Amino acid sequence: MLSKLIIIAIGAILVNNFVLSQFLGICPFLGVSKKISSATGMGFAVIFVLTLSNALTALLREYLLVPYGLEFLETVVYILVIASLVQILEIILKKVSPILYQSLGMFLPLITTNCAILGAALIASLKEYNFVESTVMGFAAGVGFLLALLIMSGIRERLDMERVPKAFEGTAIPFVIAALLSLSFLGFSGMIVE
Amino acid sequence: MKQNNFLKGLIKENPIFVQVLGLCPTLAVTSAVVNGITMGVATTFVLFGSSSLISLFRKRIPSKMRMPIYIVIVATFVTIAALFMQAYFPPLYKALGIFLPLIVVNCIILGRAETFASKNNVSQSMLDALGMGLGFTGALILISVIREIIGNGTFFNLHITNFKTLFFILPPGAFLTMAFLSALFKYIGQKKEKYYA
Amino acid sequence: MSSDAKALFVLLFVAFLSAFILGIIYKLTINKVHAQELRQKNLALLAVIPESGLKLVDKGKIVLFEKGNKVKYYAAIGAAPGYNSVLQIVVGFTLQKKITAIHILSELETPGLGANSEKPVFYNQYAGKDPQKIYVVKRNAKGNEINAITGATITSRAVTKSVRRACKILNKEIGNSGEAK
């Protein structure tokens, strides 16, 4: 049981990194990776939301959708859960810790449309993970996201001081970096052994 | 004015290359042209349906709850598309995988709903949606043609050439293709500015 | 408070309307989906057995192929998680529990990599092997070994696992005596 959880975790963080291998979470990956500080904030917010959302959606799946044959409502239910979760988190964060809200709060609305959140819930459903497995996967996916974001922003901050070919400025150069990162992460694909 | 709302989505405000939205499905489904086209058509359907509906009821949707309501509307159209595809086009349905339901969080759709459909009448919103959808589909086709031919030597699963580099089918290849196409788009844009300046 | 409550009401109304509409469309399309799945399954079952014209007896977990009243072949479906999806494989067995052939019922693996498991070059390897001894190797497979798809070891292993599971299901249903329960 524990070994399966570890495999799920390593899988989501390294082998099947959400951003660099599964193409989930690209929009914030490109948008928030210009500075290490914003990348860290977004990363942690995502870990938090991902873990909670996967936990909640797993419960709904196990106790509501599957027993009543309502799987076709999966998409609608999950995205509503995620949107509500983010909304509630924003309210709680504002009340409980205004300081934290200052640093993380602005990322929360962006997280609702982060494909990684809904994506993780759907993948957990596809792979028929139970509550514990889904939650671990959510957490690990978030860690993988943070990892990719940190590396990307570290490189981009350095790149700011270098000369980039004019045509590649702006959107193209992050894609080049992502290509190289993704290539290096491919090296992890041999890690998972059955 | 009418033409503008449709044409702008194709090049000037192309969702992928100019607005840089909706990237997740773009990178994932463009490993084969047939998948790219399918995703484009499905997204255009959802975009058209949601924009039309949201524009139709724009005066009745309470502003405070507008995001969740938009999301439910979009999610409904996505599920309709998914159910329909599962029944009538199973291989395409399987090929898109989780990216079909992920159309819900495609920033293009919610973006157009928020920026355009909620503030304009139905016919204009329809044109806007169609234009954006077509621009999105066009971009997907462009990317997937490159990736499939170079990466797999096929086009629409038909064998074209023996030359193939697995790299372009894999994630790094997707990123690299996007990099070069974005640079190309930017280069053309810069040249045009110089020319007209 | 009243405008907030009204807004919430609208949201709930839209949500229920959505569930209602989707429920209808689901009911309309589900029959077609089931029919498709059944057709695929039957095609797969016929594909894995070398003889034609046999009578199919569906025993739930396994399928018997009879000629006259004697069972000549078995088939079972095994499933195992692959790289991106859960694979479903139909496996045909001889009376001696050797594999006749396999047919991939559903897979959602990477195109160009794991999806190549649907190519005969790969899945024909399983024919004639002992399902309890099959094992994936990188190349130069001999005996009960299976050559993995280049760049898709996980999918290759998943197919193998599914085949082994199909065999386990078969053993469970008919025991070692060879008699169907």
Side-chain angles (χ1 to χ4, degrees):
Chain A
M1 180 61 180
L2 185 62
S3 60
K4 183 169 186 194
L5 292 179
I6 295 183
I7 290 183
I8 293 177
I10 296 189
I13 301 177
L14 296 176
V15 181
N16 278 343
N17 182 287
F18 259 49
V19 182
L20 300 171
S21 314
Q22 304 218 55
F23 301 121
L24 296 169
I26 303 276
C27 293
F29 178 63
L30 291 177
V32 186
S33 56
K34 291 203 189 119
K35 304 185 69 186
I36 299 186
S37 52
S38 39
T40 323
M42 174 60 114
F44 278 109
V46 165
I47 292 180
F48 195 50
V49 176
L50 258 179
T51 316
L52 279 178
S53 122
N54 258 31
L56 273 177
T57 53
L59 286 175
L60 278 173
R61 180 169 64 247
E62 218 171 308
Y63 295 111
L64 184 67
L65 296 181
V66 173
Y68 291 98
L70 295 173
E71 288 99 334
F72 64 95
L73 285 180
E74 225 178 23
T75 313
V76 183
V77 171
Y78 289 176
I79 193 63
L80 268 181
V81 167
I82 294 171
S84 322
L85 185 64
V86 171
Q87 195 77 312
I88 296 176
L89 279 177
E90 214 180 323
I91 297 177
I92 294 182
L93 202 59
K94 233 193 223 168
K95 287 232 170 99
V96 167
S97 170
I99 311 153
L100 213 55
Y101 182 71
Q102 286 283 17
S103 44
L104 295 187
M106 61 182 129
F107 298 120
L108 287 179
L110 285 174
I111 293 184
T112 316
T113 51
N114 183 337
C115 1
I117 318 281
L118 182 59
L122 291 172
I123 291 179
S125 171
L126 189 69
K127 295 200 169 179
E128 299 175 7
Y129 284 162
N130 62 31
F131 175 71
V132 179
E133 291 165 343
S134 299
T135 313
V136 168
M137 183 212 161
F139 178 75
V143 172
F145 180 76
L146 175 65
L147 184 63
L149 220 57
L150 279 179
I151 302 179
M152 178 62 122
S153 58
I155 296 179
R156 283 183 86 173
E157 273 195 4
R158 292 268 178 96
L159 209 60
D160 263 346
M161 303 178 237
E162 301 291 333
R163 283 187 355 173
V164 175
K166 259 202 123 191
F168 278 83
E169 277 174 7
T171 14
I173 200 69
F175 277 123
V176 176
I177 305 173
L180 292 171
L181 288 180
S182 165
L183 192 58
S184 58
F185 266 69
L186 263 189
F188 289 120
S189 57
M191 270 180 84
I192 296 230
V193 183
E194 286 187 18
Chain B
M1 198 51 196
K2 268 205 173 138
Q3 264 215 322
N4 239 331
N5 273 332
F6 174 72
L7 288 179
K8 68 179 194 255
L10 297 182
I11 300 191
K12 247 210 203 145
E13 288 183 36
N14 184 288
I16 295 185
F17 290 117
V18 178
Q19 300 186 58
V20 196
L21 294 175
L23 289 175
C24 301
T26 309
L27 292 165
V29 310
T30 45
S31 47
V33 180
V34 61
N35 295 352
I37 295 184
T38 312
M39 173 57 92
V41 171
T43 308
T44 307
F45 165 71
V46 176
L47 187 54
F48 184 76
S50 350
S51 274
S52 311
L53 219 62
I54 290 174
S55 171
L56 190 65
F57 291 106
R58 68 186 182 280
K59 307 235 172 86
R60 310 243 190 133
I61 298 179
S63 179
K64 273 201 160 181
M65 277 291 176
R66 70 181 190 287
M67 268 319 202
I69 293 180
Y70 292 169
I71 287 177
V72 175
I73 295 177
V74 177
T76 310
F77 274 102
V78 171
T79 312
I80 293 177
L83 290 173
F84 184 72
M85 279 185 72
Q86 193 181 14
Y88 294 99
F89 301 101
L92 290 178
Y93 172 78
K94 284 193 204 163
L96 290 188
I98 57 166
F99 286 94
L100 187 53
L102 280 178
I103 295 180
V104 177
V105 287
N106 186 326
C107 332
I108 301 178
I109 304 184
L110 284 174
R112 289 337 280 171
E114 173 78 355
T115 9
F116 198 90
S118 58
K119 302 178 188 157
N120 290 276
N121 66 32
V122 183
S123 50
Q124 291 306 305
S125 301
M126 284 186 177
L127 287 173
D128 173 86
L130 279 178
M132 292 286 161
L134 240 62
F136 181 66
T137 311
L140 286 181
I141 294 180
L142 181 61
I143 302 173
S144 48
V145 164
I146 295 178
R147 286 184 70 195
E148 189 179 351
I149 294 186
I150 302 183
N152 210 24
T154 62
F155 179 73
F156 256 96
N157 279 323
L158 302 168
H159 185 87
I160 296 222
T161 167
N162 270 326
F163 170 81
K164 50 169 157 176
T165 338
L166 211 53
F167 179 80
F168 278 90
I169 301 276
L170 296 174
F175 285 117
L176 205 63
T177 313
M178 275 306 291
F180 279 104
L181 283 176
S182 309
L184 187 67
F185 247 76
K186 188 146 207 184
Y187 182 69
I188 296 179
Q190 287 168 350
K191 281 269 147 145
K192 264 188 162 180
E193 268 179 42
K194 254 200 193 162
Y195 189 71
Y196 286 117
Chain C
M1 191 52 208
S2 173
S3 81
D4 274 358
K6 190 174 153 203
L8 194 61
F9 246 158
V10 177
L11 176 64
L12 287 175
F13 173 70
V14 176
F16 272 109
L17 194 62
S18 149
F20 182 68
I21 295 176
L22 290 179
I24 295 179
I25 299 196
Y26 177 70
K27 280 264 161 70
L28 290 177
T29 54
I30 195 63
N31 290 328
K32 190 119 211 285
V33 177
H34 282 328
Q36 288 263 23
E37 285 175 1
L38 203 59
R39 196 176 347 128
Q40 295 289 5
K41 186 172 149 207
N42 285 334
L43 281 174
L45 286 170
L46 292 175
V48 297
I49 301 300
E51 263 184 64
S52 54
L54 298 175
K55 186 173 83 165
L56 267 82
V57 179
D58 194 327
K59 287 261 173 199
K61 295 233 168 87
I62 63 171
V63 174
L64 310 173
F65 296 81
E66 298 179 353
K67 188 170 195 155
N69 262 327
K70 289 188 70 177
V71 180
K72 297 203 79 183
Y73 299 98
Y74 301 104
I77 299 183
Y83 191 70
N84 277 337
S85 56
V86 177
L87 276 72
Q88 305 237 12
I89 319 266
V90 175
V91 188
F93 298 94
T94 63
L95 289 172
Q96 294 76 34
K97 314 257 193 73
K98 286 263 186 328
I99 304 173
T100 52
I102 70 168
H103 186 99
I104 301 191
L105 204 53
S106 77
E107 56 89 17
L108 249 177
E109 307 293 276
T110 323
L113 294 175
N116 286 345
S117 52
E118 302 223 23
K119 293 213 170 117
V121 174
F122 175 71
Y123 66 73
N124 278 342
Q125 291 184 85
Y126 289 86
K129 299 202 160 89
D130 181 343
Q132 289 172 322
K133 299 210 182 107
I134 45 179
Y135 187 76
V136 175
V137 294
K138 287 220 174 317
R139 62 187 77 81
N140 301 328
K142 11 183 200 324
N144 280 317
E145 295 174 344
I146 305 277
N147 278 327
I149 303 167
T150 316
T153 332
I154 295 183
T155 309
S156 313
R157 290 203 180 111
V159 175
T160 310
K161 208 178 198 183
S162 308
V163 173
R164 271 193 240 124
R165 285 188 183 171
C167 179
K168 265 201 210 123
I169 293 176
L170 180 68
N171 284 333
K172 218 172 128 197
E173 291 299 306
I174 68 173
N176 282 323
S177 61
E179 294 287 320
K181 281 197 209 149

